[in-house]
Amino acid sequence: MRGLTVRAVLFACTADLIPLYALYAMLFADHGLSTAQISSLLAIWSATSFVLEIPSGAWADTVSRRALLIGSAALLVAAFSCWTLFPSYAGFALGFVLWGASGSLRSGTFEALLYDDLAARSATASYPRITGYVRAAAESGALVGILAAAPLYAWGGYPLIGWSSVAIAAVHTCTAAALPAAPKTVSAREIEDLADACLSDDGALPPAASSPLRSGGGPSLASDGGEPLRSAAGPPLSSGRAEAPQTGGDPADSRAGVRYLRMLRLGLRESLRVRMIRRGLLLAAMLNGITAFDEYFALLAGNAGVAPSITPLLVGLTVAGGLAGTALAGRTESMRPRTMAAALFLGGVLFIGGALLAGLAADHPDAVYVLTGVGFSAIGVAYGIDYNAEVVAAARLQDAIEGPARATVTSVGGFLTELLALAVFGFVGLASVWLPIPPTVALLGVPLLVIAALVPSWLPVRRDEAAAGSHDGGPIEAGP
């Protein structure tokens, strides 16, 4: 267990230990790009992930997840190399396409690999705690990378920051190769049997002949049609790939496309038909997607008149908040939905107030660092609340998934996340035509207030709550 945690933590840490994260918005601006052009680049990034998200999730349920994560890391190396070698709009756009492809290969794949490895050890109860460590490691890496950007910029400007980011991405590739090849919990033959059942008249998956995929017991989830959705738990495969069927004398690779399409269908079906998973996916996606506002923190600091060498320190305050929030996820995993809703409402208020306070610094140059320091600290607290809620919601969602297409289901959440991120980028691109950056960023805190209202009915129930037939003190409702 400790070895798995260490490898997962190193993988997550090196993925975000990138100095470019602190200043790439200012890199674009210093090369003559407007706020609208920067938003268009971010939209290209998000759109790439949007298109590839679900197909890559089904791919991760069909082939080696570790191999996909290695490929994801290699694409990250190529993306930052492109930015450093070709610092123009076209070069930045190409880099974002590569980065978006990298993110789509990683999204869903890493979570499914981690959960299935724990399932093979009968230790899925440790998933929220380990996920909290992983997310905290990612935030720690981001914080170190952001803080390192200040001296790197002073010593060598954007080129040194760029090549340092390329080198760290190469190290990240090595950590991906060190991840375990988690055994699949079902065989390809059982997947085909389940998929064939999808073609029956009632369209419902049959109950599993053996125990459900998730460990620890509890009632099975029901689709909106009332039939249980369960996976047939086959023997684990040490290779990390699904067992290739050998029926009819066909080569194994000739069946890969069929297995891929069936996994895709199973994952989409569970995502759309199981109410708890459908709402859980939407909630996790909203909590994650709204954090696209962090792409504009550097511009918010720059608008206040903060020097480029100081900007990473202010952005680092927000990352520190996210780090604290994720590190506490193991302690807050049992929080009640109303508690999470109240925390998110407070986070929304702090985010809006912090952005407006930082904006006031532009009109008060004598107090620029006081106002931005307090403003970014408030944003950091809000950031931590959101991240904590997202980790808890994502962990409960993983525990609720019972079908064999775990990475596909998780990638549906990634797809929805990118959809919301696209909406954020589009909003900022349009709003920047009429509004300065501080009120524009402040408006991005309003969705936190909306999410807070949705949490009591959308947060997936914990296993012990499901067993007791209650959620937040009331009965678990049936129906759509």
Side-chain angles (χ1 to χ4, degrees):
M1 186 74 69
R2 182 176 299 177
L4 170 65
T5 303
V6 170
R7 283 180 283 178
V9 163
L10 288 175
F11 176 80
C13 180
T14 53
D16 287 330
L17 186 65
I18 306 294
L20 264 174
Y21 288 175
L23 293 176
Y24 66 75
M26 297 188 69
L27 167 68
F28 303 155
D30 287 348
H31 281 82
L33 275 62
S34 66
T35 300
Q37 287 177 310
I38 294 173
S39 288
S40 71
L41 287 174
L42 296 173
I44 289 172
W45 175 29
S46 189
T48 302
S49 299
F50 178 82
V51 170
L52 298 177
E53 185 71 39
I54 295 178
S56 65
W59 196 10
D61 284 321
T62 308
V63 301
S64 168
R65 289 170 181 161
R66 181 173 60 184
L68 289 185
L69 293 174
I70 294 172
S72 169
L75 287 173
L76 204 61
V77 174
F80 297 142
S81 297
C82 188
W83 281 4
T84 306
L85 292 171
F86 309 105
S88 62
Y89 184 90
F92 297 145
L94 178 57
F96 268 128
V97 169
L98 294 170
W99 192 359
S102 170
S104 66
L105 289 179
R106 180 185 173 189
S107 176
T109 304
F110 179 59
E111 292 84 353
L113 181 148
L114 180 59
Y115 193 93
D116 276 353
D117 193 273
L118 290 172
R121 304 165 187 255
S122 299
T124 54
S126 299
Y127 182 82
R129 176 177 54 82
I130 295 178
T131 301
Y133 292 157
V134 166
R135 291 293 297 270
E139 293 304 306
S140 297
L143 179 60
V144 172
I146 287 170
L147 295 178
L152 288 173
Y153 181 85
W155 295 333
Y158 291 123
L160 180 58
I161 290 178
W163 288 120
S164 298
S165 300
V166 171
I168 293 170
V171 173
H172 176 58
T173 306
C174 297
T175 65
L179 290 172
K184 297 291 194 296
T185 53
V186 292
S187 68
R189 188 180 302 278
E190 289 169 322
I191 292 168
E192 293 183 1
D193 291 340
L194 285 168
D196 289 339
C198 289
L199 303 178
S200 62
D201 292 338
D202 62 2
L205 286 173
S210 55
S211 60
L213 178 60
R214 63 173 180 158
S215 62
S220 64
L221 298 178
S223 71
D224 289 345
E227 294 294 330
L229 282 174
R230 289 179 175 267
S231 65
L237 305 176
S238 59
S239 65
R241 295 176 177 269
E243 176 188 345
Q246 299 294 337
T247 59
D250 291 336
D253 56 0
S254 68
R255 306 288 292 175
V258 175
R259 294 200 306 273
Y260 172 86
L261 292 175
R262 287 176 173 173
M263 271 295 197
L264 180 62
R265 182 164 65 247
L266 285 171
L268 290 175
R269 188 171 184 276
E270 185 171 5
S271 300
L272 296 174
R273 294 199 53 158
V274 181
R275 184 191 59 174
M276 184 185 298
I277 291 179
R278 183 173 64 242
R279 290 185 174 182
L281 283 169
L282 287 169
L283 178 62
M286 293 173 72
L287 288 168
N288 195 5
I290 194 58
T291 59
F293 50 47
D294 61 8
E295 307 298 338
Y296 300 98
F297 289 166
L299 295 179
L300 179 63
N303 177 84
V306 175
S309 59
I310 302 299
T311 296
L313 302 179
L314 292 175
V315 176
L317 289 175
T318 66
V319 177
L323 169 60
T326 53
L328 292 172
R331 295 179 178 272
T332 61
E333 61 172 314
S334 60
M335 79 168 80
R336 296 168 66 87
R338 288 172 187 152
T339 302
M340 180 184 290
L344 286 170
F345 184 85
L346 174 62
V349 173
L350 288 173
F351 186 93
I352 294 170
L356 294 176
L357 190 61
L360 290 176
D363 299 324
H364 299 83
D366 293 338
V368 60
Y369 291 109
V370 173
L371 291 174
T372 53
V374 175
F376 272 82
S377 295
I379 292 174
V381 174
Y383 206 48
I385 292 172
D386 179 271
Y387 265 40
N388 182 273
E390 194 274 325
V391 171
V392 172
R396 295 192 188 185
L397 175 63
Q398 286 289 339
D399 194 49
I401 297 171
E402 292 191 342
R406 179 172 301 278
T408 305
V409 174
T410 307
S411 289
V412 171
F415 176 86
L416 296 172
T417 296
E418 296 303 331
L419 185 63
L420 182 57
L422 276 172
V424 170
F425 299 146
F427 168 79
V428 174
L430 290 174
S432 65
V433 177
W434 297 284
L435 295 174
I437 197 68
T440 300
V441 173
L443 287 174
L444 295 178
V446 174
L448 287 173
L449 306 179
V450 176
I451 296 170
L454 296 175
V455 163
S457 59
W458 283 22
L459 183 67
V461 297
R462 295 173 59 213
R463 186 179 303 157
D464 54 353
E465 291 173 336
S470 64
H471 184 212
D472 208 25
I476 300 177
E477 298 178 357

